[in-house]
Amino acid sequence: MSTAHPKTAHPKNAEPASAVPGTPVLSVRDLSVSFRSDTRTVHAVDSLSYEVAAGEVLAIVGESGCGKSVTSMAVMGLLPPTATVTGSVRLGGRELAGATEKELSAVRGKDLAMIFQEPMTSLNPVLTIGRQIGEVLRRHQGLSRKEAKERAVELLALVGIPAPERRVAEYPHQLSGGMRQRVMIAIAVACDPAVLIADEPTTALDVTVQAGILEVLQSLRERLGTAIVLITHDLGVVADAADRVLVMYAGRAVEQAPADELFTAPRHPYTRGLLSAVLRPGQEGKRRLPEIPGLVPSLAAQPDACTFAARCTHADERCGTARPALTPDTGHRVACWHPVAATAPAHEEAAR
Amino acid sequence: MSAVREAPAPREGSAHEGDAVPVLEVRDLERHFPASGGTVRAVDGVSLTIGRGEVLGLVGESGSGKSTVGRCVVRLDEPTGGSVALKGTDITHLSRRALRPLRTDMHLVFQDPSSSLDPRMTIGQIVAEPLRLHRLVPRSGLRARVEELLGQVGLRPEHADRHPHELSGGQRQRISLARALSVGPDLLIADEPTSALDVSVQASVLNLLADLQRDRGFGCLFITHDLAAVEFLADRIAVMYLGRIVEEAPTARLFAEPLHPYTQALLSAAPVPDPALQRTRERIVLSGDLPSPLAPPPGCHFHTRCPVAVDRCRTEPPALRELPQGRRVACHLAHPDSRLSGEGPSPEHSSPSGGTSQR
C-alpha cells in the first residue's frame, strides 16, 4: 500500500488538505487517551481528530504535556497497558484502534513508521547501522541478508549520508547526532511507509544540522509521497516544513489551519499567545517577551469548558461552562467561543 | 534601540571597589583531554571578560567546547592552561576547600536537568540543599523560602513534595534555576537553561532571568545554541567553533552584520517562525560535519566547511583580530566594511585587511 505519489514542486503553495484529491491516508477520529493509576486518572488526549493526506506535512504543535507525543504513541499502538485508548485510527481504510499486537507489528515499520527525538536511545549501540536498517527490510519485505545490505546503502544515500558503503558497517557511536537521526529516518522509510510520524525529529540537533534533516524530510515527501505527521514545539520548524498545523492545548485540539494562515491570522487566543511569545532570531530587541499568564491546567479533569479559559483574556461565563467545538469542519478550524476576527493583525493583541 | 547596554548601571552598592574588576575574566583558557591517538582540544585558547551585571552569550553548536568553558569557569573541570579569575581572585588552581566560600558567588545551571537532579530527593530538598549547605536560611524558614523560589520559577508550592521524575523536562529545568538563584550568585553560568523549555515557558524564564539579572545585577555567562534566546538576553555574544572563539561582538552588531562565515551560516540556518518569510530566506548550508577535535583541520578550523575559504585559510590560522565597535573576529577575509557573503571561493576577494600574504 505504498503510495508512490509524486508531489509537485511547491506543495507548500498547494491548497490545504481538502484540495488534495483522494482520501486521507491516516485518519484519526475522536482519539482519547487516559492513564489510570490507583490514585488518579490523567486524560492526556481528549477527543482529538485529524487526518493527513499523501505527500502532506501536518505539524502537531503544542507545549510539553499537551498530549502531542501521546497521540502519536497511541496511533502507533505503543502505549503501555495502563493507557486506555478510545476512538478510531484508520490507516488507508484499516482500523488500527483495538488491533492485536500481531496485526500492529505487521503495520509498524511497514505502512506506519516513526522517528523519535533522541536517535541514540532508539538505535541499538551494539549493532551496525546496516544491520538495523536491514532488520526492517528482512522482516517486512523478506529480503535476504545481502539484499538488505544493498538496500540499506541506497537508503543511507537517500537520507544524505556521505560514503554510504562505508557508513553501513559502522556503529551508532561512530556517527554524529545528525547522522544518527538520518539513520533513524532511513530505518523509518525503509519500507516506503504511507505515513511517517516524526516526533521532535530535530529537537536534539544543532541548527545547521536541523536544516539538513528538514531538507531530507521535505525530499521524502516530494519523492516518495510520504504523508508526514511532524510533532514539534518549534514554531520555526513548523514555518519551514508544514502545510497544515494542528495546535494542541491540554490534550485538546484548539486550532487547525493551513500553515500560512495560522501564522498570519491565528484565531485562538492560545495560538496567538504562543506566536507572540516565540523568539524571532534577528528580530529581537530588548523587548519584554509576552507571556501567557497562568499554568497549564491539570489533566485530571475533563471539564465541559474551554481548558484555556483560566488563562484567557477573552474568557467569559460561557467559556467556563461549555466546551467549544472545533469548527467549521474544514479549512481554518478553531475551538473557541470568542475567536479573534480573522482580519486582526497577529502580534498586537498578544502584546497587550 | 536600547540593545547595547555597554556598562550596565551598577545597582545598590555602586561604590564597590569591584566596579572596574570584572566578575569573570578568562585568559587563554585551554582544556585538553588526553585520548588514545592524540589530544582532544575541547577548549583551545579562549579569552572572555564579563563585567558586573553583564550578560555574555557564548554561542556554538554541540562539540564547540562552549559547555567545557562553563565547567572550567566553575572549576567542575580542571583547565589544562590559562587562567580563570572570579571578581579579581584567580581561582584556576585554588583547592576545593579554598574555593568553597566562593561557591555562593557563582552557580551553574546545567544543560540536562534530568541528570543533574537527584532522583531520590524531593524537589523541596533539592532546592533547599544550597540554602542548607551555605547556611543561608534558618531551618525553620527553609520551606517558605523554597516555596518562594518555586513561585519565582513558575511552579506551584505542592511541587516541593514531588520527585524529579514526576515533573516534565521543562519543570525540571526550572528546579535547577530555582536552585541556582537560591544562593544569590554574582555570576550565573547558564548552560542551555532554556533549551528544554516550551515556547511560553521559555519566554517567562527568559523574562525572569532578565528581571533577576537587572534587579540583582549578577553577571551571566549564557551558554546556548539558541541564537534568538541569546539575542534576547545577552549584551555581547561570543561565537565558538571547535574550541575557539571565532567572533565576538555587541549583540545588535552581531545580528546586523555577522562578519565570520560561520556566524553567517548559523544565523541563516535558524528557521524563523513565519512561513512566508522563511520561504524567501537563503540558507547557507554547511557541508559535512564538525571535524574531530582530535585532529582539527590546519589553518582556520572552519575552512573545511566554509563556503568562501581561500588557500590561505587552509594553512594559516587566523588570529582573533580586534575591530572597531568592540568586535573581534578570527577570519582572514572578514572586515567590517564589506560584509562577507557566500559568493563562492573567489580569489579576487576584495583586499582582505592585512591580507598581504594572500596569493
Side-chain angles (χ1 to χ4, degrees), chain A:
Chain A
M1 73 153 291
S2 45
T3 44
H5 159 79
K7 191 72 185 153
T8 41
H10 287 291
K12 261 198 159 174
N13 300 334
E15 285 299 298
S18 52
V20 178
T23 45
V25 277
L26 177 68
S27 161
V28 174
R29 284 271 153 270
D30 294 321
L31 183 75
S32 296
V33 182
S34 56
F35 294 89
R36 206 176 295 275
S37 75
D38 294 342
T39 49
R40 59 193 181 131
T41 302
V42 171
H43 301 276
V45 181
D46 188 355
S47 312
L48 187 82
S49 301
Y50 69 80
E51 45 198 40
V52 55
E56 189 186 30
V57 178
L58 171 73
I60 301 184
V61 186
E63 302 186 275
S64 13
C66 74
K68 56 190 193 302
S69 290
V70 171
T71 303
S72 47
M73 297 296 267
V75 169
M76 293 292 292
L78 290 174
L79 288 171
T82 51
T84 312
V85 182
T86 60
S88 149
V89 176
R90 295 187 76 82
L91 178 72
R94 196 171 355 166
E95 179 61 54
L96 297 185
T100 63
E101 185 54 35
K102 195 173 168 206
E103 290 165 331
L104 278 175
S105 55
V107 170
R108 279 197 298 251
K110 183 158 171 278
D111 304 318
L112 184 60
M114 185 162 180
I115 52 179
F116 300 88
Q117 177 172 347
E118 181 38 76
M120 201 56 203
T121 55
S122 315
L123 289 170
N124 187 332
V126 299
L127 296 181
T128 64
I129 59 173
R131 174 92 183 267
Q132 297 186 56
I133 299 172
E135 191 182 348
V136 195
L137 294 163
R138 285 161 58 79
R139 183 188 161 88
H140 288 300
Q141 298 188 338
L143 298 190
S144 71
R145 198 172 282 268
K146 185 159 169 287
E147 289 165 333
K149 188 175 171 192
E150 283 164 9
R151 179 86 180 111
V153 173
E154 284 171 33
L155 285 161
L156 289 178
L158 178 77
V159 295
I161 291 187
E165 341 34 61
R166 189 163 54 80
R167 291 295 192 181
V168 77
E170 293 189 352
Y171 291 87
H173 75 268
Q174 292 171 285
L175 305 178
S176 67
M179 288 297 155
R180 284 182 208 137
Q181 194 58 291
R182 285 173 196 257
V183 170
M184 284 305 298
I185 296 175
I187 293 172
V189 301
C191 296
D192 192 9
V195 179
L196 174 65
I197 298 178
D199 190 350
E200 304 272 9
T202 61
T203 305
L205 305 175
D206 287 320
V207 279
T208 56
V209 179
Q210 165 175 290
I213 297 291
L214 291 176
E215 274 175 18
V216 169
L217 289 177
Q218 201 70 26
S219 82
L220 287 176
R221 68 94 159 263
E222 277 163 29
R223 287 155 69 181
L224 308 176
T226 317
I228 298 176
V229 179
L230 177 68
I231 294 159
T232 182
H233 68 281
D234 185 334
L235 291 161
V237 170
V238 174
D240 188 87
D243 301 317
R244 269 191 311 131
V245 186
L246 171 70
V247 183
M248 285 186 74
Y249 180 75
R252 297 176 180 180
V254 294
E255 188 161 6
Q256 186 177 332
D260 284 28
E261 220 174 302
L262 188 95
F263 280 90
T264 52
R267 300 200 62 200
H268 197 284
Y270 173 66
T271 314
R272 298 174 76 87
L274 208 56
L275 283 172
S276 64
V278 69
L279 292 158
R280 291 154 203 272
Q283 296 164 46
E284 291 303 325
K286 289 262 183 219
R287 66 171 172 130
R288 192 174 173 79
L289 294 169
E291 295 173 24
I292 303 176
L295 294 170
V296 177
S298 147
L299 295 172
Q302 260 179 315
D304 187 16
C306 172
T307 46
F308 188 61
R311 306 173 72 184
C312 182
T313 49
H314 300 262
D316 64 9
E317 204 182 319
R318 191 187 190 188
C319 304
T321 53
R323 175 177 174 173
L326 194 64
T327 52
D329 287 343
T330 53
H332 194 151
R333 312 176 67 192
V334 60
C336 180
W337 292 121
H338 309 286
V340 184
T343 48
H347 302 300
E348 236 161 58
E349 131 156 21
R352 289 187 306 174

Side-chain angles (χ1 to χ4, degrees), chain B residues 42-296:
Chain B
V43 179
D44 201 13
V46 164
S47 297
L48 295 169
T49 306
I50 300 179
R52 266 188 182 276
E54 188 186 31
V55 182
L56 176 71
L58 188 59
V59 178
E61 296 188 286
S62 18
S64 63
K66 58 188 192 303
S67 291
T68 308
V69 170
R71 293 172 61 88
C72 285
V73 164
V74 294
R75 287 281 310 279
L76 267 180
D77 208 339
E78 293 298 318
T80 49
S83 67
V84 176
L86 184 69
K87 297 201 288 182
T89 312
D90 188 332
I91 63 163
T92 327
H93 303 293
L94 282 189
S95 68
R96 289 171 63 109
R97 177 178 291 271
L99 201 55
R100 205 166 292 148
L102 299 174
R103 289 275 174 211
T104 56
D105 290 341
M106 55 180 174
H107 216 292
L108 178 68
V109 174
F110 288 95
Q111 189 163 354
D112 179 5
S114 28
S115 60
S116 60
L117 303 178
D118 187 331
R120 287 170 304 181
M121 288 167 78
T122 66
I123 299 306
Q125 289 167 337
I126 289 171
V127 177
E129 195 177 32
L131 296 170
R132 233 166 15 85
L133 292 179
H134 293 293
R135 300 198 172 84
L136 296 172
V137 174
R139 187 168 284 274
S140 60
L142 273 179
R143 176 78 191 194
R145 179 78 183 117
V146 165
E147 289 183 1
E148 188 187 339
L149 284 162
L150 289 180
Q152 285 176 11
V153 294
L155 294 171
R156 288 188 283 258
E158 62 261 32
H159 281 121
D161 299 319
R162 304 218 183 133
H163 288 85
H165 76 269
E166 296 174 80
L167 305 183
S168 71
Q171 288 171 323
R172 285 198 284 252
Q173 190 58 303
R174 297 206 218 179
I175 301 298
S176 309
L177 210 53
R179 188 179 150 103
L181 295 173
S182 67
V183 298
D186 285 327
L187 177 66
L188 185 73
I189 318 284
D191 190 349
E192 304 273 13
T194 60
S195 304
L197 304 183
D198 284 318
V199 172
S200 69
V201 182
Q202 169 174 286
S204 59
V205 170
L206 285 173
N207 279 335
L208 173 74
L209 258 172
D211 288 348
L212 290 167
Q213 197 274 326
R214 203 183 46 242
D215 295 346
R216 303 195 188 174
F218 55 78
C220 180
L221 179 63
F222 186 62
I223 300 167
T224 186
H225 68 281
D226 184 344
L227 289 157
V230 85
E231 181 182 18
F232 172 78
L233 208 61
D235 303 305
R236 269 186 307 130
I237 297 178
V239 181
M240 273 188 87
Y241 185 80
L242 220 58
R244 292 181 183 164
I245 289 176
V246 294
E247 181 165 8
E248 186 184 328
T251 303
R253 304 273 348 120
L254 188 88
F255 278 86
E257 192 196 15
L259 294 178
H260 199 284
Y262 177 63
T263 315
Q264 291 168 9
L266 264 187
L267 289 177
S268 81
V272 292
D274 179 341
L277 181 59
Q278 179 62 18
R279 247 171 271 139
T280 64
R281 290 175 87 228
E282 213 174 301
R283 204 184 259 164
I284 304 172
V285 178
L286 295 178
S287 55
D289 280 332
L290 193 72
S292 161
L294 249 176

